[in-house]
Amino acid sequence: MQVNYINPVLDSLVNVLGTMAAMKVRPGKPSIKTEQSARGDVTGVMSMFGPAARGSIAITFTAPVILELAQRMLRETYPGINEMVVDLAGEITNMVIGGAKAKLEEQGHKFDMSLPTLVAGANHIVMHKTQGKTVIMPFETDYVSFFVELCFE
Amino acid sequence: MQVNYINPVLDSLVNVLGTMAAMKVRPGKPSIKTEQSARGDVTGVMSMFGPAARGSIAITFTAPVILELAQRMLRETYPGINEMVVDLAGEITNMVIGGAKAKLEEQGHKFDMSLPTLVAGANHIVMHKTQGKTVIMPFETDYVSFFVELCFE
């Protein structure tokens, strides 16, 4: 797990939510994941492949955060998570990873990206099957928190 | 979505569960997914990257199936889905995609594989963000059914 893969993802996330949704997010303290602690309601999963490393990244939204993002980005108020909301989580995942990929390429790391896979289900947990360590990053917003998990090997 | 990417995945799944767990599975009729109908309790998600196509594959296990597999493959009886069971789902996903990759390479399709990401949570649904279509394949066992979803573009 190379730490220089993490920051472009985090910067991109802050940038996407700031510019597309005017939502300020405060990155918390990253930690090595030792248990399946991040529970969420909608998760976007993407993989990155490069000659030097491969990794997977999961952005796990809690319902209050993604519903607020739907209101800000789609101008729609939904009572709960539906197909539109999941689709939005996929768009956000795409934009975040796309931004990170561009930044990593500037730094000389070339990556391909997978199609995002979305998972919806109340209170689910995400795990990564990797030899490497998984870093979990909490993000605080005014609408409770959400999580990004990254693993590279 | 090329249909010749599907069969190696399905053959590999039947082969892995047959040889590793002596579990016979009967592939059902594949269909183009139009709604988020496949609900499961543990899902393994992997991506494949090749020069001609990229795709994602999700194997969504229902609890009765993966708990029976745990009993057969780990010789353990678990009352519900725990970390060991999720890990087993990851191993199976790895083996299935690894077998499919080998078969696709024999056919001249070269692919890289991502690390699997596992999702656990009762009754969750999986969606794919792709321009291509998603094919959903039900599999019947003596312990109710489970699902494989594939999308390539």
Side-chain angles (χ1 to χ4, degrees):
Chain A
M1 176 71 186
Q2 290 202 34
V3 75
N4 55 352
Y5 298 146
I6 300 178
N7 282 338
V9 178
L10 307 184
D11 290 349
S12 179
L13 179 60
V14 170
N15 182 45
V16 165
L17 296 187
T19 55
M20 304 296 288
M23 182 183 278
K24 277 198 188 157
V25 299
R26 298 175 287 279
K29 195 170 153 23
S31 57
I32 302 294
K33 196 183 185 186
T34 52
E35 52 183 30
Q36 290 66 47
S37 51
R39 292 181 177 271
D41 303 302
V42 184
T43 293
V45 179
M46 287 194 78
S47 297
M48 295 173 76
F49 281 76
R54 54 180 190 163
S56 62
I57 298 166
I59 306 181
T60 296
F61 294 100
T62 47
V65 173
I66 194 69
L67 291 174
E68 176 66 24
L69 286 169
Q71 193 152 57
R72 292 182 180 214
M73 295 172 75
L74 308 177
R75 312 253 168 245
E76 295 281 358
T77 303
Y78 296 111
I81 288 164
N82 59 17
E83 198 171 334
M84 307 297 290
V85 174
V86 174
D87 199 59
L88 177 65
E91 285 294 347
I92 293 169
T93 306
N94 245 345
M95 286 188 281
V96 169
I97 311 293
K101 181 175 178 265
K103 199 158 287 187
L104 284 164
E105 285 185 359
E106 275 174 29
Q107 298 174 3
H109 304 291
K110 193 155 165 36
F111 281 99
D112 279 328
M113 283 164 63
S114 76
L115 308 170
T117 301
L118 284 301
V119 180
N123 222 21
H124 64 252
I125 58 177
V126 175
M127 278 159 267
H128 303 270
K129 189 148 191 66
T130 169
Q131 301 299 317
K133 289 188 167 46
T134 297
V135 170
I136 181 162
M137 277 284 312
F139 283 83
E140 299 291 323
T141 75
D142 296 338
Y143 311 89
V144 311
S145 55
F146 64 98
F147 302 91
V148 176
E149 297 185 2
L150 307 100
C151 65
F152 280 89
E153 65 174 31
Chain B
M1 176 73 188
Q2 290 202 30
V3 74
N4 56 351
Y5 297 147
I6 300 178
N7 282 337
V9 178
L10 307 184
D11 290 348
S12 179
L13 178 60
V14 171
N15 182 43
V16 165
L17 296 187
T19 55
M20 305 296 287
M23 183 183 277
K24 278 198 187 155
V25 298
R26 297 174 288 277
K29 195 171 153 26
S31 57
I32 302 294
K33 197 181 183 186
T34 52
E35 53 183 27
Q36 288 66 49
S37 50
R39 293 182 175 268
D41 304 301
V42 184
T43 293
V45 179
M46 286 193 81
S47 298
M48 295 172 78
F49 282 77
R54 56 182 188 160
S56 62
I57 297 167
I59 305 180
T60 296
F61 294 99
T62 47
V65 172
I66 193 69
L67 292 174
E68 176 67 23
L69 287 168
Q71 192 153 54
R72 292 181 179 215
M73 296 173 73
L74 308 176
R75 314 250 167 245
E76 294 280 0
T77 302
Y78 295 112
I81 288 164
N82 60 17
E83 198 171 335
M84 306 298 289
V85 175
V86 174
D87 200 57
L88 176 65
E91 285 293 348
I92 293 170
T93 305
N94 245 345
M95 287 188 280
V96 170
I97 312 292
K101 179 174 179 265
K103 199 158 289 188
L104 284 163
E105 285 185 358
E106 276 174 28
Q107 297 173 2
H109 304 292
K110 197 157 162 35
F111 281 99
D112 279 329
M113 283 164 62
S114 76
L115 307 171
T117 301
L118 283 301
V119 181
N123 222 19
H124 64 253
I125 57 177
V126 174
M127 277 157 271
H128 303 269
K129 193 151 188 60
T130 170
Q131 302 299 318
K133 290 190 165 43
T134 297
V135 171
I136 180 162
M137 276 286 310
F139 282 83
E140 299 291 323
T141 77
D142 296 337
Y143 310 89
V144 311
S145 55
F146 63 97
F147 301 91
V148 176
E149 297 185 0
L150 306 100
C151 65
F152 280 88
E153 65 175 29

